[in-house]
Amino acid sequence: MVGFLLFALLWLLIVLAVVGGIMASMGDETHPPLKEPTVLKVELATPVTERVSNNPMNYLKSGNTSKPTDLNTILKVIRRAKTDDQIKGIVFRPGLGAAISAANTEEMRAALVDFKESGKFIYAYADVYDQNLYWLATVADTISLQPEGAINFRGISMEVMFFKELLNKLGVEMQILRHGKFKSAVEPYIQNEMSPANREQYDRLAHSIWNRMAEDVAEGRGLSRAAVDEAAAEVYGMFPEQALAHGMIDMVTPQAGFTALLLNKMDVEEEDDLKMISISDYAAIPEPLVKTTDKIAVIYANGEIGMGKGNETEIGTENIVKALKDAADDEKVKAIVLRVNSPGGSVLTSDIIYQEVLNAKAKKPLVASFGSYAASGGYYISCAADRIFAQPTTLTGSIGVFGMIPNVGKTMKRIGIHTDGVKTHPYAGTPSLMRAMTPGERDLQQRSIEDIYAGFIGKVAKGRGMSSAAVDSIGQGRVWSGTDGLRVGLVDELGGLEDAIAYVAEKAGLEQYKVTEYPKQKSTYELVMESLTDMRANKVTRTLTEEFGPEAALLYRTVDGVKNTRGMVVWSRMPYGLLTE
């Protein structure tokens, strides 16, 4: 026992020391302004997120104690570097752990294109480029690749996993209720392949995203569209010399060759004399004070829409509602941007947030900015905004609802468990997981689905100035790209978060303003204590990612999120998730 206690104490001291080191590395250290010609190093080592957590425990397991960078910080740094006379150019250096969604790629790429208008250079170098990172790199003046590296440029693929036969073997019957021929989130549980309607929308989405990517790559590399399609079809990127021969890159060189190129560009002889600064260090340089108390609130609605209070990775019944109330009631906040990155979830929570959006909108201008996706419940909470911004590759729409009630009665009987009971009224105890629904129970649940769907399209119709029939024609659960969403009236303008902020500032009559973020994040200490007392979901997610890949972790998060339903069976969610969310 003494040995065990000593070991436990030693382990605790080690954890506290490591956490202390991480917290120190994540601190708000101020850096002095630049005094010499410098290169901004946009080095991505982890997935680009909408908003970075203050919790250092999130980075302890991976061994990477450096704080990831959120998209908004990257955009602000690039915009600031454009007008900084000491910043002469950018080196884009994605690592093996980097990942970025299509919509965030577009937003970051637009910032880099704007940076180049200053006449400064952008050089890119990587050991391996995944498809979105290569798309991002094509804005560079020079793209270099390690001799044994590769570019994973193969086109767009979307794949669905189906569980019908597994459920049949287990004796589980999934009882489905839905409205919308495109509401395909339930298909994996009742079919072995895509329905024609689902195949149609997936095909349309894949080609819409590819068209946007291919056009940017063609323009950035000075290639024809046919040449870009050929590069993907023939997978030239897998072979550095072929990639070079077909104009996908400019150099095949080890790191030393790229460094020599950079030294020559900066007119420096020795590498030690080359001044470079990271995104985090540059962001820590104090900006000139803005002499105003006026603010624009950016409210991050990020993650599944659940039934709980909500946290940094889940939209709940309290966190976003409180953020909207606080922003609406703060006299210094003159306008609000609701930044949505959500596939949807609970209809009840979505409606609670929708009502609060209406209250906030009545007090001050409010616009929505869509990230990687804002679909189903994510669109529900946004449809009342004064204006909606989305990227061309944002996934949106999916206006529909569904219910899914498993019947595990046969499974229980196989292992010798039977149920029986009494009830006072026909629908008492409905729905039951231990038996099939009666025709009357199914009709009751379906009427509930239809009623919720009618309310959903009614809210969208009111917010978008459309008829309910028009919304229904583009609803039915169908997922649209941002480009198609603009065409059918679900989106007002293609653009990113900064475009939304600029628009709402003009609408509020602001020339100078500060940007403040909601929900207010907990302190690092509070988050560490929470993590030490409840690390189950994080442990499972990390283990699944390490052992079976991000697909398994994404599936687990989806199932884990559905468990906390408190008896509710009606959901408004898009049919799949993104591996880079």
Side-chain angles (χ1 to χ4, degrees), residues 366-567:
L366 187 153
V367 304
S369 168
F370 292 168
S372 299
Y373 44 20
S376 290
Y379 193 82
Y380 194 127
I381 67 175
S382 312
C383 64
D386 296 315
R387 194 168 184 81
I388 294 177
F389 292 77
Q391 294 290 357
T393 55
T394 294
L395 304 183
T396 189
S398 193
I399 299 169
V401 294
F402 69 92
M404 197 161 54
I405 305 171
N407 169 19
V408 299
K410 290 182 180 179
T411 307
M412 295 297 101
K413 289 178 182 178
R414 287 179 181 178
I415 59 176
I417 298 176
H418 298 262
T419 60
D420 199 0
V422 298
K423 56 185 177 181
T424 60
H425 293 80
Y427 298 110
T430 300
S432 171
L433 304 185
M434 302 303 295
R435 60 175 176 79
M437 288 186 289
T438 67
E441 289 171 337
R442 179 174 285 276
D443 179 66
L444 175 67
Q445 298 292 350
Q446 186 63 42
R447 282 190 286 128
S448 174
I449 293 286
E450 300 293 341
D451 183 66
I452 293 172
Y453 178 74
F456 192 169
I457 65 173
K459 291 178 174 65
V460 174
K462 182 179 179 181
R464 303 301 301 161
M466 303 167 67
S467 68
S468 293
V471 175
D472 184 47
S473 70
I474 60 174
Q476 299 289 324
R478 179 161 186 167
V479 181
W480 302 89
S481 67
T483 298
D484 287 336
L486 177 65
R487 176 175 58 82
V488 300
L490 295 175
V491 172
D492 294 298
E493 188 172 332
L494 297 179
L497 178 59
E498 291 192 327
D499 298 303
I501 292 173
Y503 173 86
V504 81
E506 182 178 355
K507 188 167 184 180
L510 302 177
E511 293 185 1
Q512 286 191 322
Y513 55 86
K514 299 175 182 178
V515 174
T516 182
E517 297 181 347
Y518 293 84
K520 296 300 183 183
Q521 292 184 314
K522 294 181 180 180
S523 69
T524 302
Y525 175 79
E526 290 175 309
L527 291 169
V528 169
M529 291 301 102
E530 287 180 3
S531 296
L532 290 174
T533 56
D534 182 17
M535 298 180 68
R536 180 189 63 85
N538 288 337
K539 281 183 177 179
V540 173
T541 299
R542 285 196 299 263
T543 301
L544 286 170
T545 301
E546 292 167 1
E547 298 297 329
F548 303 106
E551 296 90 345
L554 179 61
L555 179 62
Y556 168 77
R557 290 200 304 272
T558 302
V559 174
D560 191 56
V562 171
K563 288 194 305 181
N564 188 25
T565 62
R566 301 180 187 176

Side-chain angles (χ1 to χ4, degrees), residues 15-178:
V15 168
L16 291 176
V18 172
V19 170
I22 298 172
M23 291 170 65
S25 71
M26 295 172 61
D28 296 322
E29 180 184 356
T30 299
H31 290 261
L34 300 177
K35 297 180 179 180
E36 300 179 75
T38 304
V39 176
L40 175 64
K41 191 174 185 179
V42 179
E43 186 173 31
L44 304 182
T46 57
V48 175
T49 62
E50 282 288 310
R51 195 181 191 192
V52 169
S53 170
N54 282 338
N55 191 349
M57 298 299 289
N58 291 344
Y59 322 124
L60 183 59
K61 175 70 176 181
S62 65
N64 180 9
T65 59
S66 60
K67 183 178 180 180
T69 306
D70 61 282
L71 177 66
N72 197 28
T73 297
I74 294 173
L75 299 179
K76 287 191 294 186
V77 163
I78 293 173
R79 182 181 67 241
R80 183 179 174 190
K82 176 184 176 181
T83 57
D84 188 335
D85 291 338
Q86 295 297 351
I87 295 292
K88 303 303 180 182
I90 286 176
V91 165
F92 176 55
R93 186 72 167 87
L96 295 177
I100 186 170
S101 70
N104 287 349
T105 297
E106 290 190 279
E107 198 148 357
M108 187 172 168
R109 196 176 189 280
L112 291 171
V113 169
D114 181 65
F115 174 87
K116 284 185 67 175
E117 292 181 358
S118 65
K120 301 177 181 182
F121 69 88
I122 299 178
Y123 287 173
Y125 180 81
D127 300 325
V128 175
Y129 293 96
D130 83 358
Q131 190 152 261
N132 285 349
L133 292 169
Y134 175 70
W135 177 13
L136 187 55
T138 57
V139 74
D141 302 287
T142 298
I143 301 179
S144 301
L145 179 65
Q146 209 271 347
E148 297 301 323
I151 304 170
N152 185 21
F153 192 71
R154 310 180 184 207
I156 303 295
S157 171
M158 295 183 173
E159 192 172 57
V160 181
M161 188 179 295
F162 293 87
F163 313 104
K164 178 185 176 182
E165 286 192 18
L166 172 62
L167 294 172
N168 288 344
K169 291 177 180 179
L170 296 174
V172 178
E173 175 197 5
M174 297 302 295
Q175 303 171 101
I176 304 301
L177 307 136
R178 60 176 169 175

Side-chain angles (χ1 to χ4, degrees), residues 250-298:
D250 300 289
M251 290 179 62
V252 177
T253 178
Q255 174 70 50
F258 178 75
T259 301
L261 176 71
L262 190 58
L263 291 173
N264 182 65
K265 182 67 177 180
M266 292 295 291
D267 196 22
V268 175
E269 294 185 2
E270 299 294 333
E271 188 174 352
D272 290 343
D273 296 326
L274 179 62
K275 304 299 180 183
M276 303 186 73
I277 189 168
S278 67
I279 292 174
S280 57
D281 286 345
Y282 190 68
I285 298 174
E287 294 189 64
L289 294 176
V290 178
K291 297 180 180 179
T292 181
T293 58
D294 293 340
K295 300 178 181 178
I296 291 177
V298 175

